[in-house]
Amino acid sequence: MSTAEPAVVRMGHDLVRHLEHLPGDQAAMEIATHIKKFWEPRMRHELLARIRWGDTTLHPLLVAAAGDLVDGEVDRGEIKEPSGG
Amino acid sequence: MTLIHEPDLGTPAVANDHDVTLTIDGRAVTVPEGTSVLRAARGAGIDIPKLCASDNLAAYGSCRLCLVEVEGAKGTPASCTTPCADGMVVRTDTDTVHALRHGVMELYLSDHPQDCAGCARGNCEIQALAVQTGAAEVRYGRGGASHLDDTADTSNPYFTYDPKACIVCNRCVRACGEVQGTFALTVQGRGFDSRITAGGTDFLSSECVSCGACVQACPTDALTEKSVIQLGMPSRTVVTTCAYCGVGCSFKAEVQGSGDDTRVVRMVPWKDGGANEGHSCVKGRFAYGYASHRDRQLSPMARDSIDDEWQVVTWEEAITRVAEGFLALREKHGVGSIGGISSSRCTNEEVYVVQKMVRAAFGNNNIDTCARVCHSPTGYGLNHAFGTSAGTQDFASVEQADVMLVIGANPTDAHPVFASRMKKRLRAGAKAIVADPRRIDLVRSPHVEAALHLPVRPGTNVAFVNAMCHVIVTEGLWDEPFVRERCEDADAYLAFIAGPEHSPEATQDVTGIPASDLRAAARLFAAGPNSAIYYGLGVTEHSQGSTMVMGMANLAMLTGNLGREGVGVNPLRGQNNVQGSCDMGSFPHELPGYRHVSRPEVREIYESLWGVTLQAEPGLRIPNMFDSAIGGSFRGLYVQGEDIAQSDPNTSHVEAALRAMDLVVVHDLFLNETARFAHVFLPGASFLEKDGTFTNAERRINRVRPVMPSRVGKDEWQVVCEIATAMGYPMSYAEASHIMDEIAATTPTFAGVSFARLDAEGSMQWPVTQAAPHGTPTMHVGSFVRGLGQLTETVYVPTTERANRRFPLVLTTGRILSQYNVGAQTRRTPNSTWHPEDVLEIHPSDAELRGVTSGDVVELSSRVGTTRLTALVSDRMPAGVVYTTFHHPVTGANVVTTENSDWATNCPEYKVTAVQVEVVTQAARANAGAGADVPADAVAGRP
């Protein structure tokens, strides 16, 4: 069995919990950058779809970070030197 | 190749810049000051006989065979205990020493079996020495008191101890202590009654960990591998690399026969092996029998449905079925509907071709590796801090360490050969700080006692390391010149970590570590002067695994413990090729060499070589594959050498994902748990059949050489190439070395690597570049790979997996010495003698509360599942924490672990699961003598 929370929501909220301490807009920017670096496009698509559907369970910081995401092809040049793992 | 006999110079090498020159039998010999006469002579080709001496043991001076004459000195000193001196004149070949050696040898022979089987088979040095000393006859006769009627101890599954052949030279006792560091053996009695004993009991019941160092040390046939007794002596040697843990020990595979008739007689650790220097553990030396186990599947098999019986098919049919199946799924469900998982047990070359198949033939980046579930946070965290996804040191560095912080690792069980090095250094005076919920062996074992044991609660590592750094900063113990010169964001970090919320007093209720102990640990670590961090999965397999890796990097940078020997941040990798599988581009966001798929200049390298367009978007990680499979968009999976149905968390979720797929292809030695959900099974090759390389935890690239031909008729990389080719993307290599040539041509850190160079050098540690043509034992000397080291504000965020009224205990999981991961290999060897089942260790107070006694069958339940195990009440557990291993599928430890994972890498949080324990049956209590609490080691610790 698995928990009811969809994986992208769980993963997104994990990012929020671990990066929300960052000041100003930096938290949203880091979350967005992480998603761009490590999330497969269909996961990004699902997150954006949930926002469009008005999923009220999403943390506002995750929603704010998603504002920097593009559904579909993105300009990969915007990503900083990525991390391993 | 013939049998390799490695030279034994009698006493260890001496490191000394000052040389001395002496004369031995008229020849001038120059050696470092402090070298023994025995070593100097043997190094010069002068063969002084010896029995008790060995160049991996301190000189002992017992056997009296290595006597020599020294001009101007009285008597005939033992050359093993006599240091060389300038101008010394030594004679090894005089009538006097000949007579003495002859007399000594006669005494040995008077109590040695005339029909010694070892002498007959050439596994006993007595006969050769008798010939060398001319002592064929025994003046004293053979009718006197002797030990020739003593009984052999055959209790150990791998070797016998036959006291009839024992000369009580003490080599086994000294090897057990000096090399292995277990001190299980001793000499009992005095004079003629002196006998070797394993603590007054038989070997199997003793503290012996079956590393085999005693067997290797024995100059007679007294301690002999049962395989040698059964098969006779080997006739040729192939030097290769162990396929168990991340230490990556080099071995001489000593075999008989050739071709398909090759039989492994024994595995002997290779003295020139950079990682192990002639030592081994019970797995590497003895547990290789799985490769010829009857369970090996040697033919491809297929079935239409997982409910059908398997049907044996030809390789051609199997590969066609796989290729057509993946093509059909891709056509119907899109390019992202298929993917692959590579294995940390496979060679670099095999892993490389799997990721190439996925990227070039499948057409996506849906490639991940089992490192996802162990050390992916290491890659993330160390790359973030230093710019390289790897440990900073070589293993030999520990010999320069003054303080070791061991956290989340149990080296004596999981990395035993390196643990022996650690223990040797600790016996020499280094201090250990052990941060672990359990009282592991490094806390206290013979001749080793940690300076501090910090019983950090599972899930609170970041609070712990922050408290360490807080003390170091607020007490002014940090290395300001190092931080100012070599690190960035220092001021922000220093302000962050100085906050009172990080103080030991503020965090002790969270971590469970008394503030005074933590302050003492921080001061000890800062004092060094050489302080090193060694860690394992107890760090990475947490929701803050990556944060903790960065936290440890902070600690090392703050104290200036980087860029030289004796220091560093050192991950102890779980499997033999975790490092290599990560290096080879197995992650869905990275091409080989840890270069993100989004970088066009990197894609261009491969696109031009491979003739395809590569995707710039990251692919699915393993848990994402499972989620997408259940969601319906991921339909086909190739899995090489990983049993995801047993090893990955939340088993029911994994099984649901596997059931949801249309095509699961398992490429493995055995029909493992995952194969229950497979449609095609491709038989794999064991490490004894592979040609390639493994990269160990110290970035050491070792050769894996085929001891015998593939028992399934194909190399694994060849099978992968044939699948890709059948899918319309031609892939072929004439031999494995050509794959490494492609890796070297496209990956800067491997630029100087080739099979020929590895054969010539023995091994090399990456980066191997023009600037470092022989490799790089120590990283970040002078500057970090990323330039300045990144100090990171590591905020402690408690895991969401917390104990509560329903699940009041915390389960943490790990390994035991005799078994290895999911047990697919070790369960098919006599290693199961020591660990036939997984047990649940529980603290006495938690046990008493629940009415649990050792031997009871208990139900272990979490919010995701329930399983049953046998309980073991153990005071090495802290109250509130229970522990088990995951070696046996019948236990299904991962039935209860959850989908919680590291926030950055999705490495599962295996180390923290809220659980409850309840007694199911108290059958054991009814048995006579059962019910008493037993020492943990009695069931779970040996070997």
Side-chain angles (χ1 to χ4, degrees):
Chain A
M1 87 184 249
S2 96
T3 54
E5 195 173 44
V8 295
V9 176
R10 187 181 71 246
M11 291 170 63
H13 285 167
D14 280 347
L15 292 174
V16 168
R17 268 196 307 281
H18 288 84
L19 297 172
E20 65 183 344
H21 67 279
L22 295 170
D25 296 336
Q26 195 182 343
M29 189 186 74
E30 289 290 339
I31 292 169
T33 300
H34 185 96
I35 290 172
K36 289 174 193 170
K37 284 180 184 175
F38 299 111
W39 285 26
E40 203 254 8
R42 82 189 79 172
M43 297 164 62
R44 199 171 62 229
H45 170 79
E46 183 184 338
L47 176 64
L48 291 170
R50 285 183 175 280
I51 291 170
R52 280 197 299 272
W53 298 337
D55 186 338
T56 56
T57 68
L58 297 178
H59 192 285
L61 184 54
L62 182 60
V63 176
D68 195 33
L69 300 177
V70 178
D71 198 357
E73 288 297 313
V74 296
D75 176 7
R76 308 302 304 179
E78 69 194 79
I79 299 177
K80 292 189 299 184
E81 181 65 23
S83 298
Chain B
M1 184 179 278
T2 56
L3 199 65
I4 296 176
H5 295 282
E6 295 173 275
D8 182 349
L9 300 184
T11 61
V14 172
N16 196 326
D17 292 337
H18 183 242
D19 287 343
V20 295
T21 298
L22 68 162
T23 304
I24 306 176
D25 293 345
R27 292 166 57 181
V29 178
T30 299
V31 293
E33 186 174 18
T35 301
S36 73
V37 170
L38 176 63
R39 184 180 178 91
R42 287 193 156 226
I46 299 165
D47 187 13
I48 299 175
K50 65 173 185 64
L51 270 173
C52 74
S54 178
D55 58 13
N56 64 342
L57 301 172
Y60 194 59
S62 155
C63 75
R64 315 312 293 172
L65 274 176
C66 69
L67 306 177
V68 295
E69 287 188 86
V70 179
E71 199 170 281
K74 289 182 180 176
T76 49
S79 60
C80 64
T81 55
T82 303
C84 296
D86 253 332
M88 181 184 268
V89 177
V90 177
R91 294 188 185 86
T92 74
D93 197 22
T94 68
D95 290 344
T96 301
V97 297
H98 277 301
L100 287 169
R101 290 174 191 159
H102 185 280
V104 169
M105 202 61 220
E106 279 186 288
L107 290 171
Y108 283 123
L109 287 172
S110 70
D111 194 12
H112 192 73
Q114 281 185 293
D115 59 346
C116 171
C119 288
R121 70 171 73 96
N123 191 44
C124 179
E125 296 175 24
I126 293 287
Q127 187 182 52
L129 284 168
V131 171
Q132 188 178 357
T133 58
E137 300 297 322
V138 178
R139 284 174 287 168
Y140 317 112
R142 296 180 184 268
S146 73
H147 299 92
L148 300 180
D149 293 327
D150 287 1
T151 306
D153 176 355
T154 59
S155 60
N156 187 287
Y158 294 116
F159 60 84
T160 64
Y161 169 59
D162 187 350
K164 288 195 289 292
C166 177
I167 58 170
V168 200
C169 67
N170 257 296
R171 267 167 70 165
C172 57
V173 176
R174 290 181 288 138
C176 187
E178 293 178 34
V179 178
Q180 167 55 30
T182 294
F183 298 89
L185 304 182
T186 189
V187 178
Q188 196 171 47
R190 289 178 177 274
F192 180 78
D193 293 329
S194 301
R195 293 285 87 188
I196 302 297
T197 176
T201 181
D202 62 47
F203 271 81
L204 185 63
S205 310
S206 74
E207 294 291 305
C208 168
V209 293
S210 295
C211 68
C214 58
V215 179
Q216 187 177 338
C218 183
T220 75
D221 201 44
L223 283 158
T224 302
E225 297 94 343
K226 287 182 174 175
S227 57
V228 170
I229 294 171
Q230 182 186 353
L231 299 171
M233 289 298 281
S235 56
R236 65 185 175 91
T237 304
V238 180
V239 177
T240 189
T241 305
C242 179
Y244 280 114
C245 78
V247 176
C249 295
S250 298
F251 276 91
K252 293 187 294 181
E254 296 191 342
V255 306
Q256 295 171 337
S258 60
D260 292 337
D261 293 327
T262 303
R263 291 176 302 282
V264 177
V265 175
R266 63 183 175 189
M267 300 290 283
V268 180
W270 176 237
K271 285 168 70 171
D272 285 341
N276 57 319
E277 296 181 349
H279 190 36
S280 70
C281 75
V282 63
K283 294 188 286 287
R285 188 191 292 265
F286 294 123
Y288 54 82
Y290 68 87
S292 54
H293 194 276
R294 62 182 178 279
D295 287 352
R296 270 283 296 273
Q297 294 295 320
L298 302 176
S299 302
M301 296 189 293
R303 55 187 177 182
D304 292 329
S305 157
I306 62 172
D307 298 320
D308 293 344
E309 294 294 317
W310 284 108
Q311 301 296 320
V312 172
V313 298
T314 64
W315 272 112
E316 186 180 13
E317 187 178 345
I319 285 165
T320 300
R321 200 160 172 152
V322 171
E324 290 181 350
F326 282 138
L327 286 170
L329 290 174
R330 193 173 65 177
E331 177 69 24
K332 186 175 179 182
H333 300 285
V335 71
S337 63
I338 56 177
I341 299 175
S342 69
S343 173
S344 298
R345 292 182 193 172
C346 292
T347 64
N348 286 318
E349 293 71 20
E350 290 164 337
V351 171
Y352 179 87
V353 296
V354 170
Q355 64 88 31
K356 180 175 176 178
M357 171 183 75
V358 170
R359 293 197 157 102
F362 287 16
N364 60 45
N365 285 313
N366 292 336
I367 171 69
D368 208 354
T369 178
C370 49
R372 171 69 53 209
V373 300
C374 65
H375 266 288
S376 49
T378 288
Y380 188 95
L382 293 185
N383 195 34
H384 175 87
F386 304 143
T388 303
S389 298
T392 61
Q393 313 293 130
D394 62 359
F395 288 144
S397 169
V398 77
E399 288 154 25
Q400 309 300 321
D402 301 302
V403 178
M404 301 173 208
L405 170 59
V406 182
I407 176 163
N410 185 13
T412 55
D413 277 35
H415 305 88
V417 171
F418 181 65
S420 292
R421 280 193 186 216
M422 295 176 104
K423 290 193 287 187
K424 189 172 187 178
R425 180 63 190 147
L426 292 170
R427 291 197 303 276
K431 308 286 188 192
I433 302 165
V434 176
D436 199 292
R438 297 188 303 149
R439 197 180 65 243
I440 60 173
D441 283 354
L442 279 183
V443 174
R444 185 174 167 81
S445 57
H447 299 277
V448 167
E449 182 159 18
L452 289 153
H453 174 215
L454 311 177
V456 59
R457 288 198 181 109
T460 68
N461 287 338
V462 173
F464 155 71
V465 80
N466 283 349
M468 291 280 286
C469 294
H470 173 90
V471 173
I472 287 165
V473 168
T474 56
E475 295 191 6
L477 305 175
W478 57 295
D479 186 340
E480 184 166 5
F482 184 94
V483 170
R484 294 296 178 203
E485 182 188 344
R486 296 196 50 184
C487 305
E488 65 180 334
D489 294 335
D491 289 332
Y493 175 75
L494 292 169
F496 160 80
I497 205 67
E501 69 276 20
H502 301 305
S503 74
E505 291 73 20
T507 56
Q508 63 184 347
D509 289 342
V510 172
T511 62
I513 302 169
S516 57
D517 284 356
L518 195 133
R519 285 192 180 275
R523 291 165 188 157
L524 179 61
F525 190 88
N530 282 345
S531 296
I533 301 170
Y534 293 94
Y535 72 95
L537 305 184
V539 160
T540 56
E541 291 175 343
H542 281 90
S543 63
Q544 283 205 287
S546 294
T547 311
M548 180 57 185
V549 173
M550 295 179 216
M552 294 186 303
N554 289 341
L555 177 61
M557 286 187 281
L558 266 186
T559 51
N561 279 305
L562 287 157
R564 63 178 188 277
E565 284 190 273
V567 299
V569 183
N570 303 280
L572 297 174
R573 303 283 190 162
Q575 303 209 61
N576 51 314
N577 202 33
V578 174
Q579 182 68 57
S581 69
C582 299
D583 299 341
M584 292 299 107
S586 285
F587 286 134
H589 64 284
E590 288 175 334
L591 288 156
Y594 303 98
R595 293 166 295 172
H596 202 274
V597 293
S598 65
R599 291 170 58 179
E601 77 279 13
V602 178
R603 289 201 311 279
E604 166 59 25
I605 295 169
Y606 295 95
E607 287 175 339
S608 60
L609 184 68
W610 296 350
V612 294
T613 300
L614 297 176
Q615 288 207 355
E617 295 279 5
L620 293 168
R621 294 170 171 176
I622 291 173
N624 308 147
M625 292 179 188
F626 297 153
D627 294 331
S628 299
I630 290 171
S633 66
F634 190 76
R635 314 295 292 239
L637 178 66
Y638 164 89
V639 191
Q640 182 182 38
E642 183 184 1
D643 192 0
I644 49 180
Q646 192 184 343
S647 65
D648 283 40
N650 195 349
T651 304
S652 64
H653 182 69
V654 175
E655 291 185 355
L658 289 167
R659 283 184 196 280
M661 290 187 224
D662 300 309
L663 177 61
V664 175
V665 179
V666 168
H667 197 170
D668 212 300
L669 299 180
F670 303 105
L671 279 172
N672 57 21
E673 294 301 297
T674 308
R676 291 193 290 120
F677 306 94
H679 304 85
V680 180
F681 179 85
L682 304 172
S686 78
F687 81 109
L688 294 170
E689 301 147 42
K690 289 179 190 281
D691 189 11
T693 56
F694 292 151
T695 307
N696 75 355
E698 48 171 359
R699 294 170 280 103
R700 185 182 301 280
I701 308 161
N702 273 313
R703 282 282 281 119
V704 182
R705 297 182 179 86
V707 173
M708 59 185 68
S710 168
R711 295 186 66 204
V712 300
K714 287 181 187 287
D715 294 314
E716 288 185 31
W717 56 263
Q718 187 184 355
V719 174
V720 173
C721 288
E722 288 177 8
I723 293 170
T725 302
M727 290 182 70
Y729 178 76
M731 249 170 78
S732 67
Y733 299 90
E735 55 187 72
S737 69
H738 294 181
I739 304 172
M740 178 53 81
D741 293 342
E742 183 171 316
I743 295 165
T746 54
T747 313
T749 46
F750 278 67
V753 180
S754 67
F755 281 18
R757 291 240 23 234
L758 289 168
D759 290 342
E761 300 257 354
S763 63
M764 292 191 286
Q765 290 169 266
W766 68 256
V768 184
T769 59
Q770 201 166 17
H774 303 290
T776 311
T778 305
M779 298 287 289
H780 314 301
V781 178
S783 67
F784 291 101
V785 169
R786 71 184 297 279
L788 293 173
Q790 177 66 59
L791 287 163
T792 303
E793 297 175 34
T794 47
V795 175
Y796 168 59
V797 179
T799 174
T800 56
E801 181 70 12
R802 293 173 198 168
N804 53 35
R805 288 183 63 188
R806 189 173 166 212
F807 301 111
L809 301 171
V810 171
L811 169 72
T812 186
T813 62
R815 263 192 217 174
I816 203 160
L817 173 60
S818 59
Q819 298 284 359
Y820 179 71
N821 283 11
V822 296
Q825 295 145 290
T826 47
R827 282 187 285 104
R828 293 181 170 94
T829 72
N831 275 30
S832 287
T833 305
W834 291 284
H835 191 74
E837 62 174 332
D838 295 319
V839 297
L840 185 78
E841 293 186 49
I842 183 169
H843 186 270
S845 64
D846 293 326
E848 186 178 0
L849 269 175
R850 292 161 178 77
V852 174
T853 57
S854 291
D856 288 351
V857 175
V858 296
E859 188 168 86
L860 177 71
S861 53
S862 74
R863 63 183 165 86
V864 302
T866 298
T867 188
R868 291 181 177 185
L869 301 103
T870 301
L872 174 66
V873 181
S874 165
D875 66 3
R876 76 169 177 169
M877 298 303 302
V881 181
V882 293
Y883 170 85
T884 191
T885 49
F886 56 100
H887 303 308
H888 293 270
V890 67
T891 310
N894 284 318
V895 167
V896 300
T897 53
T898 72
E899 70 291 332
N900 264 29
S901 66
D902 174 46
W903 66 272
T905 65
N906 289 131
C907 181
E909 192 172 39
Y910 289 113
K911 303 301 184 188
V912 187
T913 306
V915 294
Q916 178 58 294
V917 174
E918 293 174 286
V919 175
V920 176
T921 60
Q922 299 179 329
R925 198 172 295 174
N927 296 334
D933 295 349
V934 295
D937 291 351
V939 175
R942 302 291 174 225

